[in-house]
Amino acid sequence: MKRLLALYPYVAPVVLAPLSYWLWLRTYAGNHHLVVIAWGLPVLWAYIVPGVGTNILKVWEFDTRLRLGRFRPHHGFVFGSATATLAWLSHHTPAQDLGDAFRNALVLASVLGFWNLLYDIKALEVGLLRVYNQPCADGQPASVVALDYAPWFFAGFGGVYGFAISLAEMNAERLLNWPVSIAWLLLSLLCACCVPVAGYVLQSRRRYGHSGTRPIHQRTSK
């Protein structure tokens, strides 16, 4: 299992990055303005949030050969390409109204939350990922460590992601020039970064009395 998880970050992006882009391009009938949102949002998010969490806040760490500090430099394409593929597999038809948007948000929150939780539990168990949160400091198993952050960061991102691409589909005619589509991507990215982080910090303060944004290496009192 460890060998498979060690190979996956190098093999999967080579296959899934171009494949997922092509799948979304086919779904959107050649509309690159919509594709750059559906495909680009998870790639950018996976560079910003984990990059800050590893090299600035130091609460996460990848134990891989190829690293920049605590962060693997290709992580955006590892997470982003797999996420874009899962999102495409979960996608039915372009959203027509807010009901569709909320449904898509719920579906992607569930799908991304579930599969990324499983992946992180295994990565923690074999030592490819280290997370210095309160459950880890308390000696809890990998499943408890992952459950402390994964629902907010993965399901939370999935909800924002699903809602963002649905609203883009509903306003496709307004996104037919690059300044508008890039602005939509950046606004979606801002929401995708802020909502999960804010939810996690509030949860951590309620559970442990601290924000959870600093590494915890030993049991601390509240």
Side-chain angles (χ1 to χ4, degrees), residues 17-156:
L19 175 62
S20 57
Y21 193 96
W22 176 77
L23 290 171
W24 279 110
L25 188 64
R26 190 179 67 169
T27 295
Y28 289 145
N31 188 338
H32 288 275
H33 299 277
L34 288 179
V35 177
V36 82
I37 296 168
W39 187 86
L41 182 55
V43 173
L44 293 175
W45 184 88
Y47 273 114
I48 295 172
V49 174
V52 171
T54 53
N55 281 344
I56 297 178
L57 299 181
K58 302 185 186 303
V59 293
W60 301 323
E61 181 179 6
F62 292 103
D63 187 4
T64 58
R65 287 185 179 181
L66 184 60
R67 292 196 301 179
L68 289 176
R70 296 167 172 239
F71 184 63
R72 54 190 183 193
H74 56 299
H75 182 71
F77 291 99
V78 177
F79 176 87
S81 61
T83 298
T85 303
L86 286 172
W88 181 83
L89 290 171
S90 306
H91 189 267
H92 181 52
T93 56
Q96 301 296 319
D97 52 39
L98 285 177
D100 290 341
F102 281 109
R103 178 185 61 81
N104 291 338
L106 180 60
V107 168
L108 280 187
S110 302
V111 170
L112 297 183
F114 176 76
W115 287 110
N116 282 287
L117 173 62
L118 290 185
Y119 176 87
D120 272 30
I121 289 173
K122 289 299 180 183
L124 286 164
E125 288 176 345
V126 302
L128 293 176
L129 174 66
R130 299 190 181 100
V131 177
Y132 304 108
N133 59 5
Q134 189 69 54
C136 178
D138 292 342
Q140 297 293 333
S143 57
V144 178
V145 173
L147 277 168
D148 184 61
Y149 67 89
W152 272 111
F153 282 100
F154 297 130

